[in-house]
Amino acid sequence: MNLTDIDIVKRIMEIFSVYGVRSLSMNNIAQHVPVSKKNLLKIAKNKEELVRHIFDYSVVKFQEMRQQLQQNMVAENVIDEILQQTSMMHAMSNEFNPHLDFEFGKYYPEIYAEYSKMRNENIMKNLCDNIERGKTQGVYKHNLNTEKIAQEILADFKKMKPKFENAATGRGQMVDYEQMNMRFLSAMMEKLTNEKGKEYFERKKPPNPLKGA
């Protein structure tokens, strides 16, 4: 996609977030962008192709943000990396409404399954790498079964995911999202860290967003 196409895809994401995916025709989408239907059809001949473009864009955007994070990262250990990656995911949620995940999964299950498979494989790879390095650094329990614990963490995230999607549609989205993110992260660190790691995480984790509210 060229820059103009990417701008249109980003606008379509915004439109889907407001009106939902199912209710909009290609004519409606063209009117809301706004762009001529002829130009819209040059990008995608139907909504299914538009959804694929949105997934493609989200993958590229995630890779760009991850690369930028790695270039700018100042991390003492793998716990710092997890905290900074969590901040990146929070920034991603501002652009990619988590509720769209639910809609895409409901109305375009085959495309969503392809995307989810690729995403889960990347998460598993990154988790396993983080866990192995955390054991070497002496902040994670040395006797962890890396692949098994990574699978448990991924399963925990999948259980938490519907709550993230629901929070994205209600008031107080930022606080709700941060609260749930920190609960998930704390549970993850409980599984992974030894005493040294626990102490480090408690010292470095961000403050509760509700304190002082």
Side-chain angles (χ1 to χ4, degrees):
M1 286 185 290
N2 59 41
L3 285 176
T4 302
D5 291 350
I6 289 172
D7 288 339
I8 291 173
V9 168
K10 289 168 69 175
R11 176 61 181 149
I12 292 168
M13 285 169 51
E14 295 171 2
I15 294 165
F16 281 163
S17 294
V18 174
Y19 298 101
V21 177
R22 192 179 188 185
S23 63
L24 294 171
S25 66
M26 293 293 281
N27 282 331
N28 297 145
I29 293 167
Q31 290 169 3
H32 283 292
V33 170
V35 66
S36 70
K37 187 176 180 183
K38 179 181 178 181
N39 285 336
L40 181 62
L41 291 174
K42 288 180 182 177
I43 299 173
K45 65 177 181 290
N46 53 39
K47 280 203 294 183
E48 182 174 323
E49 280 196 12
L50 285 179
V51 171
R52 284 192 180 277
H53 284 323
I54 289 173
F55 281 139
D56 290 343
Y57 171 69
S58 70
V59 169
V60 170
K61 187 68 175 178
F62 178 81
Q63 290 170 342
E64 287 176 353
M65 293 182 75
R66 184 176 175 81
Q67 185 177 24
Q68 185 178 14
L69 176 64
Q70 288 173 337
Q71 290 172 349
N72 300 326
M73 184 179 287
V74 179
E76 182 176 328
N77 56 40
V78 292
I79 297 174
D80 279 333
E81 292 177 17
I82 290 287
L83 288 167
Q84 291 176 48
Q85 287 168 3
T86 301
S87 296
M88 181 191 77
M89 294 304 295
H90 181 62
M92 285 278 288
S93 75
N94 293 331
E95 182 167 357
F96 299 94
N97 186 337
H99 189 66
L100 280 182
D101 248 19
F102 170 79
E103 293 237 331
F104 291 150
K106 183 175 182 181
Y107 299 121
Y108 298 93
E110 291 184 6
I111 301 175
Y112 185 76
E114 292 174 24
Y115 172 76
S116 295
K117 184 175 183 290
M118 179 175 61
R119 178 171 57 185
N120 291 341
E121 287 172 353
N122 286 333
I123 291 173
M124 276 294 293
K125 182 176 179 294
N126 293 330
L127 267 176
C128 288
D129 174 69
N130 180 275
I131 292 167
E132 284 297 307
R133 288 187 294 113
K135 289 193 284 188
T136 301
Q137 292 171 0
V139 291
Y140 290 170
K141 301 166 188 172
H142 74 277
N143 61 342
L144 291 172
N145 181 319
T146 297
E147 186 170 348
K148 181 179 178 181
I149 200 71
Q151 288 172 341
E152 288 180 10
I153 291 168
L154 182 57
D156 289 344
F157 178 75
K158 288 178 180 178
K159 291 176 186 175
M160 195 77 172
K161 197 165 168 291
K163 296 179 182 178
F164 281 83
E165 291 162 353
N166 291 337
T169 62
R171 293 185 176 182
Q173 174 184 350
M174 297 297 286
V175 172
D176 285 347
Y177 187 88
E178 288 178 7
Q179 284 280 57
M180 286 187 292
N181 227 346
M182 188 48 57
R183 283 200 297 271
F184 172 76
L185 193 56
S186 295
M188 175 178 166
M189 289 294 109
E190 185 65 29
K191 288 178 183 288
L192 296 176
T193 53
N194 55 23
E195 288 305 314
K196 178 182 176 182
K198 282 184 176 63
E199 187 278 329
Y200 188 87
F201 174 69
E202 288 300 320
R203 182 158 44 91
K204 296 298 292 284
K205 72 180 183 181
N208 187 327
L210 290 181
K211 282 187 177 179

